[in-house]
Amino acid sequence: RDSDHRAWTPVSCTVTRQNATVQGLTEGKAYFFRIAAENIIGMGPFTETTKEIVIRDPITVPDRPEDLEVKAVTKNSVTLTWNPPKYNGGSDITMYVLESRLIGKEKFHKVTKEKMLDRKYTIEGLKEGDTYEYRVSACNIVGQGKPSFCTKPITCKDEIAPPSLDLDFRDKLIVRVGEAFSLSGRYSGKPAPKVTWLKDDTVVKEDDRTKIKTTPTTLCLGILKSVRGDSGKYCVNVENSTGSRKGFCQVNVVDRPSPPVGPVIFDEVHKDHMVVSWKPPLDDGGSEITNYIIEKKDAHKDLWMPVTSATVKTTCKIPKLLEGREYQIRIYAENLYGISDPLISDEMKAKDRFRVPDAPEQPIIKDVTKDSAVVVWNKPYDGGKPITNYIVEKKETMATRWVRVTRDPIFPSTQFKVPDLLEGCQYEFRVSAENEIGIGDPSPPSKPIFARDPIAKPSPPVNPEAVDKTKNSVDLSWQPPRHDGNSKIIGYLVEYQKVGDEEWKKANLTADSCPETKYKVIGLTEGLTYKFRVRAVNAAGESEPSYVPDPVEVKDRLEPPELILDANMAREQHVKAGDTLKLSAVIKGVPFPKVSWKKEDHEVSPKADIEVTGVGSKLEIRNTVHEDGGIYSLTVENPAGSKTVSVKVVVLDKPGPPRNLQISDVRSDSCYLTWKEPEDDGGSVITNYVVERKDVASAQWLAISSSSKKRSHMAKYLIEGTQYLFRVAAENQFGRGPYVETLKPIKAIDPLHPPGPPKNLHHVDVDKTEVSLVWNRPDRDGGAEITGYLVEYQEDGADEWTKFQTVPMLDCVVTGL
């Protein structure tokens, strides 16, 4: 029956199976069904469906979801999205099941635990570096459908992409005051970049006029009702861990300029015109000042009259003025965007107000010398215009004509050194000032002066000190005075005073007896203590005294010897053979020490020149040879002590001859030479050996080796039977030394050995007193021709053999038996 009706409609009269197909139903309608069993007795009771059944196509599980994609990957999360299945199985999707599989494992594991209908999911809590595959299945009331195709293996790591920036604005932007402007663009990067706006390197913050909007892909900075202060260099910085990108825009908010900067300066004021100047506006409105508008007004009238509107300079001449009237000046600045507020000057009367400078006061003369003098004056009133020059004049006192001392300008200094004066002449000087109006009156003449050098007493001598003393004298030394009083120092006066006395005694009566800066005071008493002082004297008189700082006790002074070595007394001194050896040192000590030179504790060579002076000693040996090398010592000695220094002298020369030349292993074509290094290497390393040979029949030596560093050599390519002599020399950086030569020649032959025994010795005839013997040649002759055979005999039972004779042939008759 239809669920909306109560009446039942039969579907089939007889059905023998336990199922039946009901046809003719309407899709979408709900029905109840009932069934009863029937036999020959009759029909049993009906069994009815408990719920209504809606007629529709059969329901299956959904198809697999589509387009499973990875949207984002970090080191511990993965974000996935997908589309629904093409067919939902005839029933609405109730949830999605997302599964993952760790690469290397076989099974997929469910990722989502709650019921999920969103088609985007982020899996978190993953382990960095692990690699996974993902799949997703759709579920309806029937069940879970097939899973989607798996994603590619995904490794958990932060995706990195440097920021990119695409701006909608140019490098420069001009905006009128009051207008709004915005700077926008797009950006990207992984991880998501941080966006920062800056203006002139200062971070921009939002306020009532400044708005910042940032989305994951777009950025925008907007400013409402712009003012001049919004001008500047704007920068957007997009930055993540991989880097940063910057975009710049120079924004210029333009307006009319501010007023020119005052006050208005009246540079020139005349009876019929003025020249005024001013400073440019502090703010040009963001646009260059195109011109200034200047107007004038009589102070007693209200009408402003134009002067000019075309000047770009900050100065202007105001013409057509009436003498004695007071005027005001009004100045506007103009740019492309308007005219500023005005700058108005104070009132100024049109009249002449400039004149030549006044006359300076009477000049003062100082620093007079025989050919120059310095003139000094005070600046006079400049007449309303700056002084540009001073004119200095001179004249001799008895003359009437004034002469300029220089044609060069004198300014701004108010003093001048006048040169080229004549010594002994009397001069007067005067000064005039000059401005752009003209030259003013001259000053009154100065007081007359004579051109000559001033003379004064000298300053005291500098740093007097006692430099030496004996039992009855003291040597003093000092430096000249810093100032000689413009007069030559004639000499010095030296005075002394015994400690405890008041009287100073003169060591020299006149200054010219001590013209130098040293003096020996004599006639003193041994053991007493004295004070000393020195005065400098010139033509003007004596200077103040300069005192030796400490009293000096008169006695002989003892100082132990001291040696100050020259560079040639270093620890080791090298000198080439034939050059000159010089050793020297400065010697100090009181009394002067006794000097002695030694060579290895013996007297030095007679060829050495030794010089001893009051300050040092020098040893010199010309044309040095190798034997001059050794340890040289210098000893100085006085009653206060002694001191010795030594220096090793190495005379650099060619090496000596090699030693112990031996020849061995002689063959018919070669022999082996050995030797030892020279006893003397000449003070330099042996660089190589030169080996030569000579046929005894020839006078010429032939080199067979010239670069060998070894102390042996195999002489090859000898001619068999020829006799040879050999010699060897050593070389260093200073040359080749003498040769060592073999004492006797060697013959190029193979070595000789005794011959082998004769073979097949037997007798061929015997008599009562003699025996005839024969034999064959031995197998080897020992390397040389056999010269004979020694025949011996032995009596039977005896121990010794008796020599018979040596025969050249292979037979012999032994007689006397």
Side-chain angles (χ1 to χ4, degrees), residues 47 69 137 151 190 209 212 223 237 242 329 347 353 366 445 459 478 495 546 569 600-601 604 606 616 733 785:
T47 299
E69 292 184 0
S137 305
T151 62
K190 293 182 181 181
R209 295 191 306 107
I212 298 175
I223 295 183
N237 183 32
T242 65
I329 310 299
E347 295 179 355
R353 60 174 183 173
K366 66 177 185 178
S459 62
W478 57 89
E495 298 175 307
S546 181
M569 285 286 284
E600 296 173 352
D601 298 330
V604 296
Q733 64 176 355
E785 183 181 353

Side-chain angles (χ1 to χ4, degrees), residues 345-656:
S345 74
D346 297 331
E347 295 179 355
M348 177 59 68
K349 182 179 289 187
K351 64 176 183 178
D352 286 333
R353 60 174 183 173
F354 301 124
R355 56 186 172 85
V356 297
D358 291 349
E361 298 175 356
Q362 183 184 34
I364 298 172
I365 312 302
K366 66 177 185 178
D367 297 341
V368 180
T369 69
K370 63 182 180 181
D371 59 0
S372 68
V374 176
V375 181
V376 182
W377 63 93
N378 292 326
K379 179 181 176 181
Y381 173 65
D382 60 8
K385 280 291 185 179
I387 292 175
T388 58
N389 186 29
Y390 292 102
I391 299 169
V392 180
E393 298 174 297
K394 68 178 180 180
K395 79 177 184 71
E396 294 186 26
T397 304
M398 303 304 295
T400 57
R401 180 170 170 268
W402 289 91
V403 179
R404 289 185 68 163
V405 299
T406 179
R407 291 292 174 181
D408 296 332
I410 306 173
F411 187 79
S413 176
T414 56
Q415 66 177 27
F416 183 76
K417 184 176 182 179
V418 180
D420 303 327
L421 302 181
L422 295 176
E423 186 175 4
C425 290
Q426 191 177 33
Y427 290 93
E428 295 177 349
F429 301 90
R430 70 180 186 181
V431 182
S432 304
E434 180 180 7
N435 63 10
E436 65 179 63
I437 306 300
I439 300 175
D441 293 334
S443 68
S446 68
K447 293 180 180 180
I449 57 98
F450 282 96
R452 59 189 175 197
D453 288 335
I455 297 177
K457 294 180 181 180
S459 62
V462 178
N463 296 333
E465 59 179 343
V467 295
D468 200 1
K469 62 183 179 179
T470 67
K471 61 184 179 181
N472 57 8
S473 67
V474 173
D475 288 348
L476 302 179
S477 175
W478 57 89
Q479 295 177 13
R482 291 186 174 89
H483 305 288
D484 61 4
N486 292 325
S487 179
K488 179 182 178 182
I489 300 296
I490 299 172
Y492 300 90
L493 291 175
V494 180
E495 298 175 307
Y496 64 92
Q497 179 193 58
K498 186 166 62 175
V499 173
D501 291 355
E502 295 183 0
E503 181 186 3
W504 285 90
K505 297 181 179 179
K506 290 187 176 181
N508 60 324
L509 298 178
T510 59
D512 54 8
S513 64
C514 178
E516 298 182 356
T517 57
K518 60 182 179 179
Y519 190 77
K520 188 180 189 74
V521 181
I522 60 175
L524 304 178
T525 303
E526 184 178 5
L528 296 183
T529 302
Y530 292 86
K531 295 180 181 179
F532 298 91
R533 67 184 184 186
V534 184
R535 300 175 189 266
V537 181
N538 67 1
E542 300 175 3
S543 72
E544 291 296 318
S546 181
Y547 292 84
V548 174
D550 299 317
V552 180
E553 183 180 359
V554 178
K555 63 180 181 179
D556 282 334
R557 179 169 55 90
L558 284 179
E559 287 185 4
E562 183 180 354
L563 285 170
I564 302 175
L565 304 180
D566 292 344
N568 56 30
M569 285 286 284
R571 291 186 178 181
E572 188 166 300
Q573 183 74 15
H574 288 206
V575 61
K576 290 183 66 174
D579 289 353
T580 299
L581 169 66
K582 292 181 180 181
L583 303 177
S584 58
V586 175
I587 301 172
K588 293 184 178 181
V590 178
F592 190 79
K594 178 184 176 183
V595 179
S596 62
W597 289 89
K598 299 283 186 181
K599 178 188 175 188
E600 296 173 352
D601 298 330
H602 296 91
E603 294 297 328
V604 296
S605 170
K607 63 187 278 190
D609 293 331
I610 297 177
E611 178 184 353
V612 179
T613 66
V615 294
S617 179
K618 179 173 69 173
L619 179 144
E620 186 174 298
I621 299 177
R622 297 181 180 85
N623 299 319
T624 53
V625 294
H626 188 71
E627 291 73 16
D628 292 327
I631 305 297
Y632 285 79
S633 62
L634 169 62
T635 301
V636 290
E637 185 178 5
N638 71 3
S642 66
K643 191 169 185 179
T644 302
V645 295
S646 298
V647 60
K648 181 180 179 181
V649 175
V650 178
V651 179
L652 303 175
D653 197 0
K654 297 178 289 186

Side-chain angles (χ1 to χ4, degrees), residues 178-247:
E179 294 181 353
F181 67 91
S182 64
L183 306 174
S184 60
R186 289 157 299 284
Y187 73 99
S188 64
K190 293 182 181 181
K194 178 183 177 183
V195 179
T196 307
W197 288 93
L198 299 100
K199 173 179 174 284
D200 297 330
D201 297 329
T202 302
V203 176
V204 178
K205 297 181 179 180
E206 283 193 294
D207 54 27
D208 295 339
R209 295 191 306 107
T210 305
K211 307 296 179 184
I212 298 175
K213 183 179 181 181
T214 304
T215 71
T217 58
T218 63
L219 48 85
C220 180
L221 169 67
I223 295 183
L224 307 174
K225 297 180 182 180
S226 60
V227 296
R228 283 282 295 140
D230 294 328
S231 297
K233 187 174 184 179
Y234 287 80
C235 170
V236 57
N237 183 32
V238 180
E239 182 177 11
N240 66 9
S241 60
T242 65
S244 64
R245 289 290 300 277
K246 292 183 180 180

Side-chain angles (χ1 to χ4, degrees), residues 12 57 70 82 87 111 131 170 198 229 290 297 312 315 336 355 388 403 491 520 540 619 639 670 686 712 735 747 795:
S12 173
D57 287 339
V70 178
W82 59 89
Y87 177 59
V111 173
T131 304
R170 296 181 179 274
L198 299 100
T290 57
K297 180 176 81 74
V312 294
T315 182
L336 291 175
R355 56 186 172 85
T388 58
V403 179
K520 188 180 189 74
L619 179 144
S670 66
I686 300 295
S712 62
K747 190 174 185 180
E795 188 175 345

Side-chain angles (χ1 to χ4, degrees), residues 107-120:
K107 292 184 179 181
F108 278 86
H109 297 279
K110 187 176 179 182
V111 173
T112 54
K113 295 180 180 179
E114 69 279 359
K115 190 174 182 180
M116 181 180 66
L117 279 173
D118 289 340
R119 295 192 302 277
K120 180 177 181 182

